[in-house]
Amino acid sequence: MAIRIIRKVGDDILRKVSRPVEAINKNILTLLDDMAETMREANGVGLAAPQVGVLKRVIVVDVGEGLIELINPEIIHAEGKQIEAEGCLSIPGKVGEVERPAMVVVKGLNRHGEEIEVKGQGLLAKALCHEIDHLNGVLFIDKVIRFIDDDE
Ligand code: NI
């Protein structure tokens, strides 16, 4: 496992659309391991592959309820709304309120290639939506209602 460099806002890669993973090979498993380690080292609750410079549809999330790894994640159901503070490891020093669904169900593959569904409410719903946005080149600053703590 290795810590990877987290790309920061302004880096074009964060604005690109990631490609689906077609085969879960050793590179993808190493990517998952490295992403989890990089997220933890940075005290984040989620990380998407483009943030470490890989344009593949892979995310990791850990909101304190255990590590979730998802390959080719898709939101298949969303309900309600929440407006909560959000930040991003690629946008240091910025926190803003973003509207997200209160609950989502996300479908994807686990590291064994098995289809899984993850249901998340509150913080987990927010984190899943935030990370899936990264796979489409979308950052929370695109959706922010109000910045709360702007260092600039
Ligand atoms: Ni982010």
Side-chain angles (χ1 to χ4, degrees), residues 5-57:
I5 292 165
I6 298 177
R7 305 297 184 93
K8 299 299 191 303
V9 66
D11 188 322
D12 285 349
I13 202 159
L14 294 175
R15 291 308 193 172
K16 296 195 168 146
V17 176
S18 293
R19 290 178 294 273
V21 172
E22 280 168 16
I24 302 173
N25 53 28
K26 190 156 184 302
N27 285 345
I28 297 295
L29 299 179
T30 302
L31 175 66
L32 282 166
D33 289 341
D34 289 355
M35 284 172 63
E37 192 177 3
T38 303
M39 170 182 71
R40 290 194 170 119
E41 201 256 350
N43 292 314
V45 297
L47 197 67
Q51 292 182 276
V52 292
V54 178
L55 285 172
K56 292 196 182 297
R57 302 188 80 83

Side-chain angles (χ1 to χ4, degrees), residues 7-9 14-15 45-46 48 51 83-100 126-151:
R7 305 297 184 93
K8 299 299 191 303
V9 66
L14 294 175
R15 291 308 193 172
V45 297
Q51 292 182 276
I83 296 174
E84 292 292 337
E86 205 163 303
C88 179
L89 293 176
S90 293
I91 312 172
K94 294 226 189 246
V95 177
E97 288 180 340
V98 180
E99 183 179 320
R100 301 285 189 186
K126 175 174 85 170
L128 288 165
C129 292
H130 177 116
E131 301 314 328
I132 291 169
D133 271 355
H134 273 298
L135 304 181
N136 296 317
V138 175
L139 301 175
F140 88 90
I141 50 175
D142 305 338
K143 298 184 165 181
V144 73
I145 296 165
R146 182 173 70 92
F147 284 106
I148 294 167
D149 181 21
D150 195 335
D151 282 358

Side-chain angles (χ1 to χ4, degrees), residues 73-81 100-108 116-121 124-126 128-129 132:
E74 268 178 71
I75 296 170
I76 56 169
H77 184 71
E79 242 178 70
K81 68 171 185 177
R100 301 285 189 186
M103 187 278 278
V104 291
V105 180
V106 177
K107 176 182 87 169
I116 56 168
E117 281 186 13
V118 176
K119 183 178 175 180
Q121 305 194 36
L124 181 55
K126 175 174 85 170
L128 288 165
C129 292
I132 291 169

